[in-house]
Amino acid sequence: MPELPEVETIRRHLAPLVEGRVLTGLEVLDPRWCEPLAPEELTRAVEGRRLRRLARRGKYLVWELDGEVHLLVHLRMTGTLLVGGQSRPAAHTRVRFDFDDGAQRLVFIDPRRFGTGELALGTDALHAFLGARLGLEPFDPGFDLAHLRALTRISRAPVKAFLLDQKRIAGVGNIYADEALHRARIHPLRVTGKLKPAQVAALREAVIAALEDGIEAKGATIDDFRHPDGVQGSFQDRFLVHLRAGEPCLTCGTLVRKLVVAGRGTYVCETCQPRPRARLVVTTGPRQRA
DNA sequence: AGGTCGGCCTGGCAGC
DNA sequence: TGCTGCCAGGCCGACC
């Protein structure tokens, strides 16, 4: 599932190919992709415009076109962008992009159809769109200890759920949440607001380090993620806990466990990441009061 | 207000 | 072998 490092990998790959090009054609084959906008409305808004910059915010790819037209593409679970040249049209092709150099046809492939394309017209609309959905990126200079302390202090959610909330921190998904918590030696069920200052500091560094390592490995390929040239990332070979249930922790040898936290498969070494003490349940026998 | 959970969607796989 | 049914999860909206 593409998270910040996977989306950044795609952005870095595509940017030199498409920046400065005119988007001569955008063909939306699956109308769901841009709902509630009709495919022809989207096409009309973007076609013929030059791509000034391919940017990224959180897990969104932001296509900055001339005239302050912004196309916001989200890959969700199974979305992939592939550079053309495929001999036969790939299955599950939802969108086709054509550029003025002719050679670089780009396809958006998405078996599960969760991926989306949305439009923001003007800079204010772009900021409103992103601001309503995303907190700071871990790489943002403003993502300092004071910022994270202020965020964590007021949350009663388990820290895993906290990390997955894009409105708080932009770009962390299930993989990097598990990996960061292991690096910080924090159990995913710990209540966020009860983390000690040293743990918040460790968490901040762990999130940044996990994402940096992910980018360096050019992302993780689990099911569907591919680079735009079809090549796979390698971060899955560096997982410390994620998807490693029943295998020994690389730090201490304890078998990695799989839990469900915030409805997500969650992998943890309960030696390196001690479980929060179970709340004491005071048993007073059957209630007498009516 | 803030946290949890179901729905969206389909490929893949366990189990019979 | 072939079918059924369940699981995966980012994000949103409904619910408590």
mmCIF file with all atom_site columns, all heavy atoms in Angstrom, chain A residues 32 92 111 113-114 156 168, chain B residues 2-4 8-11:
data_model
loop_
_atom_site.group_PDB
_atom_site.id
_atom_site.type_symbol
_atom_site.label_atom_id
_atom_site.label_alt_id
_atom_site.label_comp_id
_atom_site.label_asym_id
_atom_site.label_entity_id
_atom_site.label_seq_id
_atom_site.pdbx_PDB_ins_code
_atom_site.Cartn_x
_atom_site.Cartn_y
_atom_site.Cartn_z
_atom_site.occupancy
_atom_site.B_iso_or_equiv
_atom_site.pdbx_formal_charge
_atom_site.auth_seq_id
_atom_site.auth_comp_id
_atom_site.auth_asym_id
_atom_site.auth_atom_id
_atom_site.pdbx_PDB_model_num
ATOM 1   N N     . ARG A 1 32  ? -15.651 6.297   -11.681 1.00 0.00 ? 32  ARG A N     1
ATOM 2   C CA    . ARG A 1 32  ? -15.522 6.359   -10.210 1.00 0.00 ? 32  ARG A CA    1
ATOM 3   C C     . ARG A 1 32  ? -14.289 7.117   -9.774  1.00 0.00 ? 32  ARG A C     1
ATOM 4   O O     . ARG A 1 32  ? -14.243 7.678   -8.691  1.00 0.00 ? 32  ARG A O     1
ATOM 5   C CB    . ARG A 1 32  ? -15.409 4.929   -9.661  1.00 0.00 ? 32  ARG A CB    1
ATOM 6   C CG    . ARG A 1 32  ? -16.684 4.261   -9.358  1.00 0.00 ? 32  ARG A CG    1
ATOM 7   C CD    . ARG A 1 32  ? -16.402 3.117   -8.391  1.00 0.00 ? 32  ARG A CD    1
ATOM 8   N NE    . ARG A 1 32  ? -16.848 3.448   -7.077  1.00 0.00 ? 32  ARG A NE    1
ATOM 9   C CZ    . ARG A 1 32  ? -18.078 3.195   -6.637  1.00 0.00 ? 32  ARG A CZ    1
ATOM 10  N NH1   . ARG A 1 32  ? -18.928 2.605   -7.418  1.00 0.00 ? 32  ARG A NH1   1
ATOM 11  N NH2   . ARG A 1 32  ? -18.437 3.541   -5.436  1.00 0.00 ? 32  ARG A NH2   1
ATOM 12  N N     . HIS A 1 92  ? -6.974  -3.561  -15.587 1.00 0.00 ? 92  HIS A N     1
ATOM 13  C CA    . HIS A 1 92  ? -7.319  -2.608  -14.536 1.00 0.00 ? 92  HIS A CA    1
ATOM 14  C C     . HIS A 1 92  ? -6.798  -1.205  -14.822 1.00 0.00 ? 92  HIS A C     1
ATOM 15  O O     . HIS A 1 92  ? -6.552  -0.441  -13.895 1.00 0.00 ? 92  HIS A O     1
ATOM 16  C CB    . HIS A 1 92  ? -6.796  -3.071  -13.173 1.00 0.00 ? 92  HIS A CB    1
ATOM 17  C CG    . HIS A 1 92  ? -7.083  -4.509  -12.878 1.00 0.00 ? 92  HIS A CG    1
ATOM 18  N ND1   . HIS A 1 92  ? -8.354  -5.033  -12.891 1.00 0.00 ? 92  HIS A ND1   1
ATOM 19  C CD2   . HIS A 1 92  ? -6.263  -5.545  -12.600 1.00 0.00 ? 92  HIS A CD2   1
ATOM 20  C CE1   . HIS A 1 92  ? -8.305  -6.311  -12.609 1.00 0.00 ? 92  HIS A CE1   1
ATOM 21  N NE2   . HIS A 1 92  ? -7.048  -6.656  -12.434 1.00 0.00 ? 92  HIS A NE2   1
ATOM 22  N N     . PRO A 1 111 ? -6.420  -2.255  -9.443  1.00 0.00 ? 111 PRO A N     1
ATOM 23  C CA    . PRO A 1 111 ? -7.350  -3.379  -9.384  1.00 0.00 ? 111 PRO A CA    1
ATOM 24  C C     . PRO A 1 111 ? -8.550  -3.107  -8.485  1.00 0.00 ? 111 PRO A C     1
ATOM 25  O O     . PRO A 1 111 ? -9.670  -3.431  -8.832  1.00 0.00 ? 111 PRO A O     1
ATOM 26  C CB    . PRO A 1 111 ? -6.496  -4.516  -8.814  1.00 0.00 ? 111 PRO A CB    1
ATOM 27  C CG    . PRO A 1 111 ? -5.093  -4.149  -9.129  1.00 0.00 ? 111 PRO A CG    1
ATOM 28  C CD    . PRO A 1 111 ? -5.043  -2.655  -9.161  1.00 0.00 ? 111 PRO A CD    1
ATOM 29  N N     . ARG A 1 113 ? -9.809  -0.241  -7.357  1.00 0.00 ? 113 ARG A N     1
ATOM 30  C CA    . ARG A 1 113 ? -10.593 0.960   -7.698  1.00 0.00 ? 113 ARG A CA    1
ATOM 31  C C     . ARG A 1 113 ? -10.816 1.890   -6.516  1.00 0.00 ? 113 ARG A C     1
ATOM 32  O O     . ARG A 1 113 ? -11.818 2.612   -6.484  1.00 0.00 ? 113 ARG A O     1
ATOM 33  C CB    . ARG A 1 113 ? -11.951 0.542   -8.291  1.00 0.00 ? 113 ARG A CB    1
ATOM 34  C CG    . ARG A 1 113 ? -11.798 -0.311  -9.538  1.00 0.00 ? 113 ARG A CG    1
ATOM 35  C CD    . ARG A 1 113 ? -13.133 -0.868  -10.004 1.00 0.00 ? 113 ARG A CD    1
ATOM 36  N NE    . ARG A 1 113 ? -14.030 0.179   -10.465 1.00 0.00 ? 113 ARG A NE    1
ATOM 37  C CZ    . ARG A 1 113 ? -15.368 0.052   -10.502 1.00 0.00 ? 113 ARG A CZ    1
ATOM 38  N NH1   . ARG A 1 113 ? -15.923 -1.055  -10.090 1.00 0.00 ? 113 ARG A NH1   1
ATOM 39  N NH2   . ARG A 1 113 ? -16.114 1.013   -10.945 1.00 0.00 ? 113 ARG A NH2   1
ATOM 40  N N     . PHE A 1 114 ? -9.890  1.885   -5.559  1.00 0.00 ? 114 PHE A N     1
ATOM 41  C CA    . PHE A 1 114 ? -10.001 2.855   -4.467  1.00 0.00 ? 114 PHE A CA    1
ATOM 42  C C     . PHE A 1 114 ? -9.341  4.182   -4.831  1.00 0.00 ? 114 PHE A C     1
ATOM 43  O O     . PHE A 1 114 ? -9.597  5.199   -4.199  1.00 0.00 ? 114 PHE A O     1
ATOM 44  C CB    . PHE A 1 114 ? -9.319  2.317   -3.211  1.00 0.00 ? 114 PHE A CB    1
ATOM 45  C CG    . PHE A 1 114 ? -10.104 1.285   -2.469  1.00 0.00 ? 114 PHE A CG    1
ATOM 46  C CD1   . PHE A 1 114 ? -9.469  0.393   -1.636  1.00 0.00 ? 114 PHE A CD1   1
ATOM 47  C CD2   . PHE A 1 114 ? -11.476 1.209   -2.596  1.00 0.00 ? 114 PHE A CD2   1
ATOM 48  C CE1   . PHE A 1 114 ? -10.178 -0.563  -0.932  1.00 0.00 ? 114 PHE A CE1   1
ATOM 49  C CE2   . PHE A 1 114 ? -12.202 0.255   -1.893  1.00 0.00 ? 114 PHE A CE2   1
ATOM 50  C CZ    . PHE A 1 114 ? -11.549 -0.632  -1.058  1.00 0.00 ? 114 PHE A CZ    1
ATOM 51  N N     . ARG A 1 156 ? -6.213  10.579  23.165  1.00 0.00 ? 156 ARG A N     1
ATOM 52  C CA    . ARG A 1 156 ? -6.417  9.393   24.001  1.00 0.00 ? 156 ARG A CA    1
ATOM 53  C C     . ARG A 1 156 ? -6.453  8.117   23.161  1.00 0.00 ? 156 ARG A C     1
ATOM 54  O O     . ARG A 1 156 ? -6.759  7.049   23.659  1.00 0.00 ? 156 ARG A O     1
ATOM 55  C CB    . ARG A 1 156 ? -7.694  9.535   24.829  1.00 0.00 ? 156 ARG A CB    1
ATOM 56  C CG    . ARG A 1 156 ? -7.431  10.209  26.166  1.00 0.00 ? 156 ARG A CG    1
ATOM 57  C CD    . ARG A 1 156 ? -8.723  10.685  26.802  1.00 0.00 ? 156 ARG A CD    1
ATOM 58  N NE    . ARG A 1 156 ? -9.252  11.839  26.076  1.00 0.00 ? 156 ARG A NE    1
ATOM 59  C CZ    . ARG A 1 156 ? -10.550 12.076  25.912  1.00 0.00 ? 156 ARG A CZ    1
ATOM 60  N NH1   . ARG A 1 156 ? -11.427 11.253  26.410  1.00 0.00 ? 156 ARG A NH1   1
ATOM 61  N NH2   . ARG A 1 156 ? -10.951 13.145  25.252  1.00 0.00 ? 156 ARG A NH2   1
ATOM 62  N N     . ARG A 1 168 ? -3.253  14.412  11.563  1.00 0.00 ? 168 ARG A N     1
ATOM 63  C CA    . ARG A 1 168 ? -2.247  14.723  12.581  1.00 0.00 ? 168 ARG A CA    1
ATOM 64  C C     . ARG A 1 168 ? -0.855  14.701  11.978  1.00 0.00 ? 168 ARG A C     1
ATOM 65  O O     . ARG A 1 168 ? -0.074  15.627  12.158  1.00 0.00 ? 168 ARG A O     1
ATOM 66  C CB    . ARG A 1 168 ? -2.343  13.718  13.722  1.00 0.00 ? 168 ARG A CB    1
ATOM 67  C CG    . ARG A 1 168 ? -3.585  13.931  14.544  1.00 0.00 ? 168 ARG A CG    1
ATOM 68  C CD    . ARG A 1 168 ? -3.779  12.772  15.481  1.00 0.00 ? 168 ARG A CD    1
ATOM 69  N NE    . ARG A 1 168 ? -4.620  13.154  16.589  1.00 0.00 ? 168 ARG A NE    1
ATOM 70  C CZ    . ARG A 1 168 ? -5.588  12.401  17.081  1.00 0.00 ? 168 ARG A CZ    1
ATOM 71  N NH1   . ARG A 1 168 ? -5.818  11.215  16.572  1.00 0.00 ? 168 ARG A NH1   1
ATOM 72  N NH2   . ARG A 1 168 ? -6.318  12.820  18.076  1.00 0.00 ? 168 ARG A NH2   1
ATOM 73  P P     . DG  B 2 2   ? -11.190 17.056  19.843  1.00 0.00 ? 2   DG  B P     1
ATOM 74  O OP1   . DG  B 2 2   ? -10.152 17.800  20.558  1.00 0.00 ? 2   DG  B OP1   1
ATOM 75  O OP2   . DG  B 2 2   ? -11.458 17.288  18.417  1.00 0.00 ? 2   DG  B OP2   1
ATOM 76  O "O5'" . DG  B 2 2   ? -10.902 15.503  20.037  1.00 0.00 ? 2   DG  B "O5'" 1
ATOM 77  C "C5'" . DG  B 2 2   ? -11.164 14.900  21.300  1.00 0.00 ? 2   DG  B "C5'" 1
ATOM 78  C "C4'" . DG  B 2 2   ? -11.500 13.456  21.072  1.00 0.00 ? 2   DG  B "C4'" 1
ATOM 79  O "O4'" . DG  B 2 2   ? -12.881 13.323  20.679  1.00 0.00 ? 2   DG  B "O4'" 1
ATOM 80  C "C3'" . DG  B 2 2   ? -10.684 12.799  19.949  1.00 0.00 ? 2   DG  B "C3'" 1
ATOM 81  O "O3'" . DG  B 2 2   ? -10.188 11.575  20.422  1.00 0.00 ? 2   DG  B "O3'" 1
ATOM 82  C "C2'" . DG  B 2 2   ? -11.700 12.603  18.838  1.00 0.00 ? 2   DG  B "C2'" 1
ATOM 83  C "C1'" . DG  B 2 2   ? -12.957 12.353  19.660  1.00 0.00 ? 2   DG  B "C1'" 1
ATOM 84  N N9    . DG  B 2 2   ? -14.191 12.533  18.926  1.00 0.00 ? 2   DG  B N9    1
ATOM 85  C C8    . DG  B 2 2   ? -14.465 13.507  17.989  1.00 0.00 ? 2   DG  B C8    1
ATOM 86  N N7    . DG  B 2 2   ? -15.661 13.404  17.482  1.00 0.00 ? 2   DG  B N7    1
ATOM 87  C C5    . DG  B 2 2   ? -16.214 12.297  18.123  1.00 0.00 ? 2   DG  B C5    1
ATOM 88  C C6    . DG  B 2 2   ? -17.489 11.707  17.981  1.00 0.00 ? 2   DG  B C6    1
ATOM 89  O O6    . DG  B 2 2   ? -18.413 12.041  17.245  1.00 0.00 ? 2   DG  B O6    1
ATOM 90  N N1    . DG  B 2 2   ? -17.627 10.607  18.807  1.00 0.00 ? 2   DG  B N1    1
ATOM 91  C C2    . DG  B 2 2   ? -16.671 10.140  19.672  1.00 0.00 ? 2   DG  B C2    1
ATOM 92  N N2    . DG  B 2 2   ? -16.985 9.075   20.396  1.00 0.00 ? 2   DG  B N2    1
ATOM 93  N N3    . DG  B 2 2   ? -15.466 10.691  19.812  1.00 0.00 ? 2   DG  B N3    1
ATOM 94  C C4    . DG  B 2 2   ? -15.313 11.754  19.013  1.00 0.00 ? 2   DG  B C4    1
ATOM 95  P P     . DG  B 2 3   ? -9.047  10.812  19.702  1.00 0.00 ? 3   DG  B P     1
ATOM 96  O OP1   . DG  B 2 3   ? -7.870  10.835  20.590  1.00 0.00 ? 3   DG  B OP1   1
ATOM 97  O OP2   . DG  B 2 3   ? -8.936  11.266  18.304  1.00 0.00 ? 3   DG  B OP2   1
ATOM 98  O "O5'" . DG  B 2 3   ? -9.646  9.344   19.704  1.00 0.00 ? 3   DG  B "O5'" 1
ATOM 99  C "C5'" . DG  B 2 3   ? -10.151 8.797   20.903  1.00 0.00 ? 3   DG  B "C5'" 1
ATOM 100 C "C4'" . DG  B 2 3   ? -11.026 7.626   20.579  1.00 0.00 ? 3   DG  B "C4'" 1
ATOM 101 O "O4'" . DG  B 2 3   ? -12.272 8.103   20.013  1.00 0.00 ? 3   DG  B "O4'" 1
ATOM 102 C "C3'" . DG  B 2 3   ? -10.428 6.660   19.560  1.00 0.00 ? 3   DG  B "C3'" 1
ATOM 103 O "O3'" . DG  B 2 3   ? -10.602 5.336   20.016  1.00 0.00 ? 3   DG  B "O3'" 1
ATOM 104 C "C2'" . DG  B 2 3   ? -11.199 6.945   18.273  1.00 0.00 ? 3   DG  B "C2'" 1
ATOM 105 C "C1'" . DG  B 2 3   ? -12.550 7.408   18.808  1.00 0.00 ? 3   DG  B "C1'" 1
ATOM 106 N N9    . DG  B 2 3   ? -13.237 8.325   17.912  1.00 0.00 ? 3   DG  B N9    1
ATOM 107 C C8    . DG  B 2 3   ? -12.733 9.474   17.348  1.00 0.00 ? 3   DG  B C8    1
ATOM 108 N N7    . DG  B 2 3   ? -13.588 10.093  16.586  1.00 0.00 ? 3   DG  B N7    1
ATOM 109 C C5    . DG  B 2 3   ? -14.736 9.306   16.644  1.00 0.00 ? 3   DG  B C5    1
ATOM 110 C C6    . DG  B 2 3   ? -15.993 9.465   16.019  1.00 0.00 ? 3   DG  B C6    1
ATOM 111 O O6    . DG  B 2 3   ? -16.359 10.368  15.266  1.00 0.00 ? 3   DG  B O6    1
ATOM 112 N N1    . DG  B 2 3   ? -16.873 8.449   16.344  1.00 0.00 ? 3   DG  B N1    1
ATOM 113 C C2    . DG  B 2 3   ? -16.574 7.393   17.174  1.00 0.00 ? 3   DG  B C2    1
ATOM 114 N N2    . DG  B 2 3   ? -17.537 6.506   17.376  1.00 0.00 ? 3   DG  B N2    1
ATOM 115 N N3    . DG  B 2 3   ? -15.399 7.224   17.772  1.00 0.00 ? 3   DG  B N3    1
ATOM 116 C C4    . DG  B 2 3   ? -14.534 8.211   17.456  1.00 0.00 ? 3   DG  B C4    1
ATOM 117 P P     . DT  B 2 4   ? -9.965  4.119   19.269  1.00 0.00 ? 4   DT  B P     1
ATOM 118 O OP1   . DT  B 2 4   ? -9.387  3.241   20.296  1.00 0.00 ? 4   DT  B OP1   1
ATOM 119 O OP2   . DT  B 2 4   ? -9.154  4.624   18.149  1.00 0.00 ? 4   DT  B OP2   1
ATOM 120 O "O5'" . DT  B 2 4   ? -11.255 3.418   18.664  1.00 0.00 ? 4   DT  B "O5'" 1
ATOM 121 C "C5'" . DT  B 2 4   ? -12.377 3.187   19.493  1.00 0.00 ? 4   DT  B "C5'" 1
ATOM 122 C "C4'" . DT  B 2 4   ? -13.508 2.657   18.642  1.00 0.00 ? 4   DT  B "C4'" 1
ATOM 123 O "O4'" . DT  B 2 4   ? -14.067 3.729   17.856  1.00 0.00 ? 4   DT  B "O4'" 1
ATOM 124 C "C3'" . DT  B 2 4   ? -13.111 1.560   17.650  1.00 0.00 ? 4   DT  B "C3'" 1
ATOM 125 O "O3'" . DT  B 2 4   ? -14.094 0.540   17.745  1.00 0.00 ? 4   DT  B "O3'" 1
ATOM 126 C "C2'" . DT  B 2 4   ? -13.138 2.269   16.298  1.00 0.00 ? 4   DT  B "C2'" 1
ATOM 127 C "C1'" . DT  B 2 4   ? -14.235 3.297   16.527  1.00 0.00 ? 4   DT  B "C1'" 1
ATOM 128 N N1    . DT  B 2 4   ? -14.196 4.517   15.673  1.00 0.00 ? 4   DT  B N1    1
ATOM 129 C C2    . DT  B 2 4   ? -15.339 4.899   15.001  1.00 0.00 ? 4   DT  B C2    1
ATOM 130 O O2    . DT  B 2 4   ? -16.379 4.276   15.062  1.00 0.00 ? 4   DT  B O2    1
ATOM 131 N N3    . DT  B 2 4   ? -15.203 6.052   14.263  1.00 0.00 ? 4   DT  B N3    1
ATOM 132 C C4    . DT  B 2 4   ? -14.084 6.838   14.138  1.00 0.00 ? 4   DT  B C4    1
ATOM 133 O O4    . DT  B 2 4   ? -14.088 7.848   13.455  1.00 0.00 ? 4   DT  B O4    1
ATOM 134 C C5    . DT  B 2 4   ? -12.921 6.381   14.859  1.00 0.00 ? 4   DT  B C5    1
ATOM 135 C C7    . DT  B 2 4   ? -11.646 7.163   14.794  1.00 0.00 ? 4   DT  B C7    1
ATOM 136 C C6    . DT  B 2 4   ? -13.030 5.255   15.588  1.00 0.00 ? 4   DT  B C6    1
ATOM 137 P P     . DC  B 2 8   ? -21.144 -0.625  0.228   1.00 0.00 ? 8   DC  B P     1
ATOM 138 O OP1   . DC  B 2 8   ? -22.323 0.018   -0.375  1.00 0.00 ? 8   DC  B OP1   1
ATOM 139 O OP2   . DC  B 2 8   ? -21.081 -2.081  0.454   1.00 0.00 ? 8   DC  B OP2   1
ATOM 140 O "O5'" . DC  B 2 8   ? -19.870 -0.236  -0.658  1.00 0.00 ? 8   DC  B "O5'" 1
ATOM 141 C "C5'" . DC  B 2 8   ? -19.679 1.124   -1.053  1.00 0.00 ? 8   DC  B "C5'" 1
ATOM 142 C "C4'" . DC  B 2 8   ? -18.244 1.346   -1.377  1.00 0.00 ? 8   DC  B "C4'" 1
ATOM 143 O "O4'" . DC  B 2 8   ? -17.450 1.106   -0.208  1.00 0.00 ? 8   DC  B "O4'" 1
ATOM 144 C "C3'" . DC  B 2 8   ? -17.660 0.378   -2.418  1.00 0.00 ? 8   DC  B "C3'" 1
ATOM 145 O "O3'" . DC  B 2 8   ? -17.636 1.032   -3.678  1.00 0.00 ? 8   DC  B "O3'" 1
ATOM 146 C "C2'" . DC  B 2 8   ? -16.235 0.089   -1.930  1.00 0.00 ? 8   DC  B "C2'" 1
ATOM 147 C "C1'" . DC  B 2 8   ? -16.122 0.910   -0.655  1.00 0.00 ? 8   DC  B "C1'" 1
ATOM 148 N N1    . DC  B 2 8   ? -15.356 0.255   0.428   1.00 0.00 ? 8   DC  B N1    1
ATOM 149 C C2    . DC  B 2 8   ? -14.242 0.910   0.956   1.00 0.00 ? 8   DC  B C2    1
ATOM 150 O O2    . DC  B 2 8   ? -13.934 2.004   0.503   1.00 0.00 ? 8   DC  B O2    1
ATOM 151 N N3    . DC  B 2 8   ? -13.534 0.322   1.943   1.00 0.00 ? 8   DC  B N3    1
ATOM 152 C C4    . DC  B 2 8   ? -13.917 -0.873  2.415   1.00 0.00 ? 8   DC  B C4    1
ATOM 153 N N4    . DC  B 2 8   ? -13.198 -1.408  3.383   1.00 0.00 ? 8   DC  B N4    1
ATOM 154 C C5    . DC  B 2 8   ? -15.058 -1.552  1.892   1.00 0.00 ? 8   DC  B C5    1
ATOM 155 C C6    . DC  B 2 8   ? -15.744 -0.957  0.910   1.00 0.00 ? 8   DC  B C6    1
ATOM 156 P P     . DC  B 2 9   ? -18.071 0.205   -4.961  1.00 0.00 ? 9   DC  B P     1
ATOM 157 O OP1   . DC  B 2 9   ? -18.078 1.178   -6.064  1.00 0.00 ? 9   DC  B OP1   1
ATOM 158 O OP2   . DC  B 2 9   ? -19.255 -0.618  -4.662  1.00 0.00 ? 9   DC  B OP2   1
ATOM 159 O "O5'" . DC  B 2 9   ? -16.854 -0.803  -5.148  1.00 0.00 ? 9   DC  B "O5'" 1
ATOM 160 C "C5'" . DC  B 2 9   ? -15.609 -0.305  -5.587  1.00 0.00 ? 9   DC  B "C5'" 1
ATOM 161 C "C4'" . DC  B 2 9   ? -14.558 -1.369  -5.433  1.00 0.00 ? 9   DC  B "C4'" 1
ATOM 162 O "O4'" . DC  B 2 9   ? -14.320 -1.644  -4.051  1.00 0.00 ? 9   DC  B "O4'" 1
ATOM 163 C "C3'" . DC  B 2 9   ? -14.917 -2.725  -6.016  1.00 0.00 ? 9   DC  B "C3'" 1
ATOM 164 O "O3'" . DC  B 2 9   ? -14.409 -2.768  -7.332  1.00 0.00 ? 9   DC  B "O3'" 1
ATOM 165 C "C2'" . DC  B 2 9   ? -14.244 -3.743  -5.087  1.00 0.00 ? 9   DC  B "C2'" 1
ATOM 166 C "C1'" . DC  B 2 9   ? -13.661 -2.882  -3.980  1.00 0.00 ? 9   DC  B "C1'" 1
ATOM 167 N N1    . DC  B 2 9   ? -13.846 -3.384  -2.601  1.00 0.00 ? 9   DC  B N1    1
ATOM 168 C C2    . DC  B 2 9   ? -12.725 -3.611  -1.792  1.00 0.00 ? 9   DC  B C2    1
ATOM 169 O O2    . DC  B 2 9   ? -11.601 -3.410  -2.254  1.00 0.00 ? 9   DC  B O2    1
ATOM 170 N N3    . DC  B 2 9   ? -12.906 -4.047  -0.526  1.00 0.00 ? 9   DC  B N3    1
ATOM 171 C C4    . DC  B 2 9   ? -14.149 -4.254  -0.065  1.00 0.00 ? 9   DC  B C4    1
ATOM 172 N N4    . DC  B 2 9   ? -14.281 -4.680  1.184   1.00 0.00 ? 9   DC  B N4    1
ATOM 173 C C5    . DC  B 2 9   ? -15.303 -4.032  -0.874  1.00 0.00 ? 9   DC  B C5    1
ATOM 174 C C6    . DC  B 2 9   ? -15.108 -3.601  -2.120  1.00 0.00 ? 9   DC  B C6    1
ATOM 175 P P     . DT  B 2 10  ? -14.821 -3.939  -8.310  1.00 0.00 ? 10  DT  B P     1
ATOM 176 O OP1   . DT  B 2 10  ? -14.679 -3.425  -9.674  1.00 0.00 ? 10  DT  B OP1   1
ATOM 177 O OP2   . DT  B 2 10  ? -16.076 -4.550  -7.850  1.00 0.00 ? 10  DT  B OP2   1
ATOM 178 O "O5'" . DT  B 2 10  ? -13.662 -4.993  -8.052  1.00 0.00 ? 10  DT  B "O5'" 1
ATOM 179 C "C5'" . DT  B 2 10  ? -12.341 -4.639  -8.380  1.00 0.00 ? 10  DT  B "C5'" 1
ATOM 180 C "C4'" . DT  B 2 10  ? -11.390 -5.657  -7.810  1.00 0.00 ? 10  DT  B "C4'" 1
ATOM 181 O "O4'" . DT  B 2 10  ? -11.514 -5.709  -6.379  1.00 0.00 ? 10  DT  B "O4'" 1
ATOM 182 C "C3'" . DT  B 2 10  ? -11.626 -7.091  -8.301  1.00 0.00 ? 10  DT  B "C3'" 1
ATOM 183 O "O3'" . DT  B 2 10  ? -10.360 -7.591  -8.626  1.00 0.00 ? 10  DT  B "O3'" 1
ATOM 184 C "C2'" . DT  B 2 10  ? -12.188 -7.803  -7.094  1.00 0.00 ? 10  DT  B "C2'" 1
ATOM 185 C "C1'" . DT  B 2 10  ? -11.476 -7.061  -5.972  1.00 0.00 ? 10  DT  B "C1'" 1
ATOM 186 N N1    . DT  B 2 10  ? -12.115 -7.147  -4.636  1.00 0.00 ? 10  DT  B N1    1
ATOM 187 C C2    . DT  B 2 10  ? -11.314 -7.207  -3.513  1.00 0.00 ? 10  DT  B C2    1
ATOM 188 O O2    . DT  B 2 10  ? -10.100 -7.199  -3.569  1.00 0.00 ? 10  DT  B O2    1
ATOM 189 N N3    . DT  B 2 10  ? -11.983 -7.271  -2.319  1.00 0.00 ? 10  DT  B N3    1
ATOM 190 C C4    . DT  B 2 10  ? -13.349 -7.287  -2.139  1.00 0.00 ? 10  DT  B C4    1
ATOM 191 O O4    . DT  B 2 10  ? -13.834 -7.345  -1.017  1.00 0.00 ? 10  DT  B O4    1
ATOM 192 C C5    . DT  B 2 10  ? -14.128 -7.215  -3.356  1.00 0.00 ? 10  DT  B C5    1
ATOM 193 C C7    . DT  B 2 10  ? -15.615 -7.223  -3.260  1.00 0.00 ? 10  DT  B C7    1
ATOM 194 C C6    . DT  B 2 10  ? -13.491 -7.149  -4.519  1.00 0.00 ? 10  DT  B C6    1
ATOM 195 P P     . DG  B 2 11  ? -10.199 -8.773  -9.694  1.00 0.00 ? 11  DG  B P     1
ATOM 196 O OP1   . DG  B 2 11  ? -10.005 -8.145  -11.012 1.00 0.00 ? 11  DG  B OP1   1
ATOM 197 O OP2   . DG  B 2 11  ? -11.240 -9.787  -9.498  1.00 0.00 ? 11  DG  B OP2   1
ATOM 198 O "O5'" . DG  B 2 11  ? -8.797  -9.358  -9.226  1.00 0.00 ? 11  DG  B "O5'" 1
ATOM 199 C "C5'" . DG  B 2 11  ? -7.767  -8.446  -8.880  1.00 0.00 ? 11  DG  B "C5'" 1
ATOM 200 C "C4'" . DG  B 2 11  ? -6.827  -9.103  -7.903  1.00 0.00 ? 11  DG  B "C4'" 1
ATOM 201 O "O4'" . DG  B 2 11  ? -7.427  -9.156  -6.586  1.00 0.00 ? 11  DG  B "O4'" 1
ATOM 202 C "C3'" . DG  B 2 11  ? -6.438  -10.535 -8.244  1.00 0.00 ? 11  DG  B "C3'" 1
ATOM 203 O "O3'" . DG  B 2 11  ? -5.086  -10.691 -7.875  1.00 0.00 ? 11  DG  B "O3'" 1
ATOM 204 C "C2'" . DG  B 2 11  ? -7.387  -11.378 -7.386  1.00 0.00 ? 11  DG  B "C2'" 1
ATOM 205 C "C1'" . DG  B 2 11  ? -7.560  -10.492 -6.149  1.00 0.00 ? 11  DG  B "C1'" 1
ATOM 206 N N9    . DG  B 2 11  ? -8.868  -10.567 -5.491  1.00 0.00 ? 11  DG  B N9    1
ATOM 207 C C8    . DG  B 2 11  ? -10.103 -10.615 -6.086  1.00 0.00 ? 11  DG  B C8    1
ATOM 208 N N7    . DG  B 2 11  ? -11.093 -10.629 -5.226  1.00 0.00 ? 11  DG  B N7    1
ATOM 209 C C5    . DG  B 2 11  ? -10.468 -10.591 -3.989  1.00 0.00 ? 11  DG  B C5    1
ATOM 210 C C6    . DG  B 2 11  ? -11.024 -10.586 -2.680  1.00 0.00 ? 11  DG  B C6    1
ATOM 211 O O6    . DG  B 2 11  ? -12.201 -10.609 -2.346  1.00 0.00 ? 11  DG  B O6    1
ATOM 212 N N1    . DG  B 2 11  ? -10.034 -10.549 -1.695  1.00 0.00 ? 11  DG  B N1    1
ATOM 213 C C2    . DG  B 2 11  ? -8.695  -10.512 -1.950  1.00 0.00 ? 11  DG  B C2    1
ATOM 214 N N2    . DG  B 2 11  ? -7.892  -10.470 -0.884  1.00 0.00 ? 11  DG  B N2    1
ATOM 215 N N3    . DG  B 2 11  ? -8.153  -10.513 -3.166  1.00 0.00 ? 11  DG  B N3    1
ATOM 216 C C4    . DG  B 2 11  ? -9.097  -10.557 -4.133  1.00 0.00 ? 11  DG  B C4    1
#
